[in-house]
Amino acid sequence: MDPILIGEMLAALMFFGVIGFLLLGFPVAFTLAGVSLLFAAVGMGFGVFDPSNFGSLPNRYIGFMTNEVLVAVPLFIFMGVMLERSQIAEQLLLTMGKLFGNMRGGLGISVVLVGAMLAASTGVVGATVVTMGLISLPAMLRAGYDPKLATGVICASGTLGQIIPPSTVLIFMGDMLAGINSQVQMAKGNFAPSPVSVGDLFAGALLPGILLVSLYLSYVLFKAVTAPASCPATPVPAEEKGTLMRDFFVALVPPLLLILAVLGSILGGIATPTEAASVGAVGAMVLALLRWRLSFRILRETMIATATITSMVFIILLGASVFSIVFRMMGGDNLVHEFLSSLPGGPLAAVAVVMLIMFFLGFILDTFEIIFIVIPITAPVLLMLDIDPIWLGVLVGVNLQTSFLTPPFGFALFYLRGVAPEDLPTSAIYKGILPFVLLQVVAIAILFAFPEIVTWLPKVVSG
């Protein structure tokens, strides 16, 4: 049998083998590396894989760890965890709830708005969902909210940190797309390509993030009009109205200043994402200090949480690197190229198929796992078909936000289940997220039909 065909068959079997072992419950990082090494041994037996290919792995992984752009990841995680410990989220939720409490759906609106603000200032999905679940969910249930609407709003709003900058997913994706785009352009004979940066991806994701927030708010308002009993008003007590505006500005100004310092410096070209992340980390400590929440214990807890989350992401990256080497060296990239480039409908059909695959992978894999596996395999083919890398990156980011919401492995569902009242059925949480998953599909369709929503702002920012 043709060795090329054998290699491609093994690459395809390896991909499905990884999915199968993950469904059995094995850890992702070790599954990626273990299955890849197993198929590498089989490939060696058939003479279609050279073990010397692993010689590039140490330098490749050290390159990831010393990459200046990726240094922003632990800094942004530190910023998010520190802000969660400083209880800024709690103050925002309580104040916004009072501000919109007099209107039907007011608590739901406040959750969406606070979720967007926390996404722009922290980007840590787990902390956001848990915080809003602890504070807003009991208040919404006491006010008579439909449990499905309450849980759906909290889960969906908590995942906005995946797409609204500064998103750690966008940092990794921006770095990966920058390298892939350079290689593709050089292969096409363009030796001076326009660079793709994390800042471009941040700028491209800003309007889609606002689009998602608008869709969530529209749904809450729709429910307030069509089913007012599902989201009743919660009038503010008269004794609290006098200090409401003061409390609002006290709660709103600190995170807004931090957002302006971090995102404004990146989009304005004043600082790189790494520099802005360091400013954000220091700013988060300053805000904690001003709230008398900065102590050695909180600093220690924040550093441990940051190290844990960062280590988890990078160990997955190591497993994905092993997978990528074996898959590509056995001809899997050629198989993907032939499949995507031969689809009827051209480049847009290829993007649609990749988006569909990623959507279904979101049912069983985490966001980082998907981008580390799928982006290195599919992005070179799609960029070779002249797909805009910024549009592709943002489209993937919005798509993968659903991986936090879709059962059985939606992490936002687990976070909320962990802090929700015991008498709240898990089925209510699963049913509650369905309308918001559909809204995200609508958002993807809008971005697919109107790419300018993504590409306009990066062009303005870059001049």
Side-chain angles (χ1 to χ4, degrees):
M1 188 180 291
D2 185 3
I4 296 178
L5 180 60
I6 294 175
E8 291 180 349
M9 289 175 60
L10 286 175
L13 288 173
M14 182 176 71
F15 179 82
F16 290 108
V18 166
I19 301 300
F21 276 99
L22 289 174
L23 287 174
L24 292 175
F26 288 92
V28 175
F30 304 119
T31 297
L32 286 170
V35 173
S36 301
L37 291 173
L38 177 64
F39 273 86
V42 175
M44 288 166 57
F46 282 100
V48 295
F49 183 80
D50 186 351
S52 65
N53 291 317
F54 286 128
S56 63
L57 187 61
N59 289 334
R60 182 175 181 177
Y61 197 62
I62 291 173
F64 284 131
M65 293 190 293
T66 57
N67 188 323
E68 183 180 341
V69 174
L70 298 186
V71 173
V73 172
L75 289 171
F76 276 129
I77 293 173
F78 178 92
M79 181 181 75
V81 177
M82 178 59 73
L83 287 174
E84 186 259 332
R85 295 290 195 276
S86 63
Q87 296 183 335
I88 285 179
E90 288 91 328
Q91 190 178 16
L92 262 176
L93 280 167
L94 294 173
T95 307
M96 296 288 272
K98 294 176 184 177
L99 188 67
F100 291 97
N102 288 323
M103 60 183 294
R104 288 199 301 268
L107 285 179
I109 291 171
S110 67
V111 167
V112 174
L113 294 177
V114 171
M117 289 196 63
L118 293 178
S121 56
T122 68
V124 180
V125 170
T128 303
V129 173
V130 168
T131 301
M132 294 198 295
L134 285 170
I135 298 171
S136 295
L137 183 57
M140 296 171 87
L141 295 178
R142 282 197 305 269
Y145 268 65
D146 183 340
K148 296 189 293 294
L149 176 61
T151 55
V153 168
I154 290 172
C155 286
S157 301
T159 60
L160 286 170
Q162 287 295 102
I163 188 63
I164 294 179
S167 163
T168 52
V169 171
L170 293 181
I171 294 173
F172 277 105
M173 199 144 45
D175 183 69
M176 295 167 71
L177 288 174
I180 293 171
N181 184 61
S182 297
Q183 294 173 7
V184 168
Q185 293 303 318
M186 290 181 69
K188 296 170 91 172
N190 179 11
F191 296 101
S194 299
V196 177
S197 68
V198 173
D200 293 331
L201 220 55
F202 278 7
L206 204 54
L207 292 181
I210 295 173
L211 172 65
L212 275 173
V213 172
S214 302
L215 289 174
Y216 294 169
L217 290 174
S218 300
Y219 178 72
V220 173
L221 292 173
F222 171 77
K223 293 292 288 185
V225 173
T226 59
S230 66
C231 49
T234 53
V236 180
E239 60 271 16
E240 297 183 9
K241 289 183 177 180
T243 61
L244 183 56
M245 293 310 297
R246 187 198 66 187
D247 294 342
F248 174 71
F249 284 108
V250 169
L252 188 67
V253 170
L256 279 182
L257 289 176
L258 191 64
I259 293 169
L260 184 62
V262 175
L263 289 186
S265 60
I266 296 173
L267 299 181
I270 300 171
T272 65
T274 304
E275 294 165 344
S278 62
V279 171
V282 174
M285 287 192 290
V286 171
L287 292 183
L289 180 63
L290 293 175
R291 294 179 58 84
W292 300 98
R293 294 285 300 171
L294 186 61
S295 65
F296 178 77
R297 180 182 62 82
I298 288 180
L299 185 61
R300 180 176 178 273
E301 291 174 355
T302 302
M303 294 175 70
I304 290 174
T306 301
T308 302
I309 297 171
T310 305
S311 300
M312 178 194 69
V313 173
F314 275 88
I315 195 66
I316 293 172
L317 182 56
L318 175 59
S321 298
V322 177
F323 174 87
S324 178
I325 288 174
V326 178
F327 186 86
R328 296 183 67 182
M329 291 300 106
M330 287 199 300
D333 52 348
N334 294 327
L335 183 66
V336 173
H337 184 276
E338 292 171 6
F339 171 69
L340 293 179
S341 58
S342 63
L343 286 172
L348 292 181
V351 174
V353 169
V354 172
M355 290 300 109
L356 193 62
I357 292 172
M358 286 186 169
F359 179 80
F360 285 111
L361 285 177
F363 284 81
I364 57 174
L365 295 178
D366 178 36
T367 300
F368 286 108
E369 298 150 12
I370 296 173
I371 63 170
F372 291 157
I373 296 172
V374 179
I375 292 295
I377 295 173
T378 61
V381 181
L382 297 177
L383 298 190
M384 190 67 76
L385 296 174
D386 294 325
I387 296 298
D388 186 292
I390 300 174
W391 178 66
L392 176 64
V394 173
L395 206 61
V396 169
V398 175
N399 189 351
L400 293 186
Q401 189 183 339
T402 59
S403 68
F404 272 87
L405 297 175
T406 46
F409 299 119
F411 283 95
L413 311 181
F414 293 153
Y415 294 141
L416 187 61
R417 176 67 275 177
V419 298
E422 293 184 3
D423 58 348
L424 180 71
T426 302
S427 60
I429 300 176
Y430 280 11
K431 291 176 183 177
I433 55 93
L434 289 178
F436 294 93
V437 172
L438 292 176
L439 288 176
Q440 288 181 248
V441 173
V442 169
I444 294 171
I446 293 173
L447 298 178
F448 205 91
F450 303 100
E452 298 82 9
I453 298 174
V454 175
T455 58
W456 173 77
L457 189 57
K459 291 177 181 177
V460 172
V461 170
S462 63

